[in-house]
Amino acid sequence: MTASESSGSVVRRILLGSQLRRLRESRGITREAAGYSIRASESKISRMELGRVSFKARDIEDLLTLYGVTDDTERDSLLGLAREANVAGWWHSYGDVLPGWFQTYIGLEGAASLIRIYEVQFVHGLLQTEAYAHAVVARGMPGAAQAEIDRRVALRLERQKVLVSERAPRFHAVLDEAALRRPYGDRAVMRDQLKHLIEVSEQPNVTLQVMPFSFGGHAGESGAFTMLRFPESDLSDIVYLEQLTSALYLDKREEVAQYERVMARLHHDSPGPEESRDLLRGLLQLT
């Protein structure tokens, strides 16, 4: 099984959940009634429709019957989607150091065709060198065992393979200058990180822009965020907002549209890729 297949299982889970929700709503059936039909709670139906749990074939069959789906072809298609959605991702082997709420994100990141990010605190995880990632993880987890820090860094490096995979997404990053000036590790670590950013920015699928201090206040005032787009036309864009102990996944059209406008302004107001590389070279000379 390839990484893209295991990442795709998360997308299929979300797709199946959204189709189940549409079927339920079209029949005017409440989540409570749907839950009763599969011997489960209303919250279980909610989690299924959000694509946050695995699916049992029997539950899907019972729900499809409740929703009046009798066509064998349609039933088989949705049951097949459920089987594919239950494929475990490569990241499950890091379950000892990986919060459950972040597992969903890794799957979505690996399945996206376009990843757009704005980062202000530090260099984004997909762009970090091993030494820089080690410094970031160690700073964020004071007192953690060395083995746990190493595992988290290994996971981050594994994630980075998505940018050079056969089906690599387009990756458009805007890094606030603050993320580049805030030291993690010693000077050598920071120098290597800046050199790495210059190198990665020249990959054909990567666009890197730096929002300089000199611009002043800008559209990214609400903080870091990620936007994910998928090749599946019936899956909407998702905005990912990471918090200390959880994360938010926004997919409502009006909310996504607001972040889309902010991202567009960041792209417009930040220097272009070549000018941004010049900024990185300037910072490198100062480090």
Side-chain angles (χ1 to χ4, degrees):
M1 181 184 62
T2 67
S4 62
E5 285 171 337
S6 61
S7 295
S9 66
V10 177
V11 170
R12 291 181 178 91
R13 211 163 64 205
I14 293 172
L15 281 172
L16 178 57
S18 66
Q19 290 185 44
L20 290 173
R21 184 183 71 243
R22 284 197 293 268
L23 287 168
R24 178 182 60 76
E25 292 175 345
S26 71
R27 300 297 191 277
I29 297 170
T30 65
R31 287 196 185 95
E32 185 178 13
Y36 182 80
S37 76
I38 63 167
R39 306 151 297 279
S41 64
E42 178 183 352
S43 63
K44 170 71 177 291
I45 295 296
S46 178
R47 291 196 299 274
M48 288 176 68
E49 292 181 351
L50 290 169
R52 292 181 182 166
V53 291
S54 58
F55 299 96
K56 293 180 182 176
R58 178 186 171 187
D59 289 345
I60 301 301
E61 289 173 349
D62 289 348
L63 287 174
L64 292 178
T65 299
L66 177 67
Y67 300 156
V69 179
T70 56
D71 180 75
D72 286 342
T73 301
E74 186 176 1
R75 289 177 70 92
D76 289 346
S77 173
L78 291 169
L79 286 166
L81 198 57
R83 285 192 296 273
E84 294 169 1
N86 287 333
V87 173
W90 60 262
W91 54 90
H92 286 210
S93 63
Y94 289 91
D96 54 325
V97 295
L98 188 62
W101 50 266
F102 194 55
Q103 292 187 24
T104 298
Y105 174 76
I106 293 181
L108 292 173
E109 182 181 73
S113 57
L114 171 63
I115 302 172
R116 290 173 290 173
I117 67 100
Y118 168 65
E119 190 61 74
V120 65
Q121 177 72 11
F122 38 62
V123 172
H124 189 269
L126 291 182
L127 300 172
Q128 294 177 2
T129 64
E130 182 174 358
Y132 182 95
H134 198 281
V136 170
V137 173
R139 182 84 57 86
M141 300 184 63
Q146 187 64 48
E148 182 177 359
I149 293 173
D150 290 344
R151 285 279 287 162
R152 288 177 181 269
V153 171
L155 169 62
R156 193 159 301 182
L157 297 178
E158 190 67 31
R159 277 175 56 205
Q160 293 179 3
K161 292 179 180 178
V162 71
L163 292 183
V164 292
S165 65
E166 187 177 335
R167 296 174 56 192
R170 287 182 294 136
F171 182 66
H172 195 154
V174 178
L175 301 180
D176 196 281
E177 186 174 341
L180 304 173
R181 287 185 175 272
R182 183 173 290 107
Y184 281 94
D186 57 25
R187 290 182 64 185
V189 170
M190 290 302 297
R191 285 183 62 82
D192 286 345
Q193 178 61 69
L194 290 169
K195 290 177 183 176
H196 180 66
L197 287 174
I198 294 170
E199 292 171 5
V200 173
S201 73
E202 293 173 341
Q203 288 180 206
N205 62 314
V206 174
T207 301
L208 176 60
Q209 293 178 266
V210 176
M211 170 54 79
F213 286 150
S214 59
F215 186 83
H218 57 75
E221 60 189 10
S222 62
F225 65 98
T226 298
M227 299 190 73
L228 302 169
R229 179 169 296 165
F230 306 92
E232 292 80 5
S233 59
D234 48 352
L235 187 63
S236 63
D237 288 6
I238 290 176
V239 176
Y240 171 76
L241 303 172
E242 190 169 310
Q243 301 171 332
L244 185 61
T245 58
S246 62
L248 291 175
Y249 296 88
L250 308 179
D251 64 355
K252 291 182 180 177
R253 187 171 299 174
E254 60 273 17
E255 292 180 325
V256 172
Q258 288 190 54
Y259 280 91
E260 187 75 54
R261 287 192 289 272
V262 170
M263 188 66 84
R265 286 175 59 193
L266 286 168
H267 291 170
H268 177 271
D269 293 339
S270 299
E274 192 52 54
E275 280 185 86
S276 293
R277 272 191 286 272
D278 288 339
L279 280 167
L280 290 168
R281 293 182 186 107
L283 288 170
L284 185 57
Q285 291 178 351
L286 297 172
T287 302

